[in-house]
Amino acid sequence: ADGRFDYTSELGRVTVPILCVAGKADNICEPAVVRFAYEHVGSTDKTYSEFGVANGFRVDYGHIDLVLGKNARQEVYSLIRDWLHKRDHS
């Protein structure tokens, strides 16, 4: 935010598995911004999920809905859990 570091130019250096989640109705961090990050990270193991009715979810999620929404536990948290379990090599 202070302009001292250009995060955008460094996205290609991210090589760890990454899950990018966006809320269709998020007006704070719009899906296009999340999609941009997803497309520019260097990881070969990356997943993008946009939470909205058009993608089979119950509602179009806003920014806070992804964490505290009525359906977050069933839809968002379960997706995150499953994503993590697929990468658990212990």
Side-chain angles (χ1 to χ4, degrees):
D2 64 10
R4 293 187 298 180
F5 187 82
D6 184 359
Y7 291 93
T8 302
S9 69
E10 299 295 324
L11 285 171
R13 295 182 61 193
V14 176
T15 59
V16 296
I18 189 165
L19 170 61
C20 297
V21 296
K24 176 68 175 170
D26 190 336
N27 294 318
I28 296 172
C29 185
E30 296 177 0
V33 174
V34 179
R35 176 59 96 167
F36 177 89
Y38 166 80
E39 290 173 353
H40 289 86
V41 294
S43 178
T44 57
D45 180 359
K46 58 185 181 178
T47 304
Y48 174 84
S49 186
E50 187 172 312
F51 288 83
V53 174
N55 296 323
F57 297 100
R58 292 181 186 147
V59 298
D60 288 339
Y61 282 74
H63 193 73
I64 298 299
D65 296 326
L66 292 166
V67 178
L68 299 175
K70 181 172 67 172
N71 302 305
R73 184 175 183 155
Q74 297 81 23
E75 295 187 322
V76 181
Y77 293 4
S78 63
L79 184 139
I80 294 169
R81 181 199 61 227
D82 294 346
W83 187 88
L84 288 168
H85 281 177
K86 288 180 183 177
R87 286 149 185 86
D88 183 11
H89 302 291
S90 58

